[in-house]
Amino acid sequence: MTFTFNSVQKNKIGLSSVIMTSLSFLCFFYAISAFSQARIKVINGHNAEGFARTQIKNETTKELACWVAIDGFKAKFRLPPAATSRWFTANDTRYSYANFSSWCDNIEFHPQYKNYPNGGQVFG
């Protein structure tokens, strides 16, 4: 009976080790996908006439492929490393910053964006 108890106890330790190892791998793969996303900052505001506007700041060291859209109109552009895009302004005062949508990703995953103009002002 003592032999059975010891073998069951060893199996419990082995099972917990397998579970912890599996959880470690899952956390590792989740962390890699979180670090691979482009880091951007979306800046919203209003101009002097009261029109809503938005701007994107690239907080990475890589060029990004981006777009900003409002009411079905989409502006596609490239954003250099550590740069801020030009202001994209709505054409109606009824729009707010919530009506804008934006997206950015590494340009190496979207080579078609290399044909679009540079939409950023590089800090200097």
Side-chain angles (χ1 to χ4, degrees), residues 25-37:
F25 280 120
L26 287 174
C27 291
F28 176 73
F29 288 121
Y30 177 74
I32 287 176
S33 65
F35 288 125
S36 67
Q37 296 174 353

Side-chain angles (χ1 to χ4, degrees), residues 44-65:
N44 297 305
H46 289 85
N47 64 8
E49 292 83 29
F51 293 100
R53 64 184 185 169
T54 191
Q55 188 178 43
I56 298 177
K57 181 179 179 184
N58 182 356
E59 296 182 340
T60 66
T61 58
K62 295 189 176 201
E63 186 176 34
L64 299 179

Side-chain angles (χ1 to χ4, degrees), residues 69-74 91 95 99-101:
I70 186 168
D71 197 29
F73 297 101
K74 188 183 287 187
N91 58 1
Y95 289 119
N99 298 111
F100 285 99
S101 61

Side-chain angles (χ1 to χ4, degrees), residues 54-58 63-68 75-81 83-88 104 107 113-122:
T54 191
Q55 188 178 43
I56 298 177
K57 181 179 179 184
N58 182 356
E63 186 176 34
L64 299 179
C66 298
W67 57 254
V68 172
K76 297 179 181 181
F77 57 95
R78 294 177 293 121
L79 194 56
T84 304
S85 72
R86 65 178 180 86
W87 284 103
F88 295 93
C104 288
I107 201 160
Y113 275 78
K114 291 184 180 182
N115 299 329
Y116 291 106
N118 188 354
Q121 306 291 329
V122 178

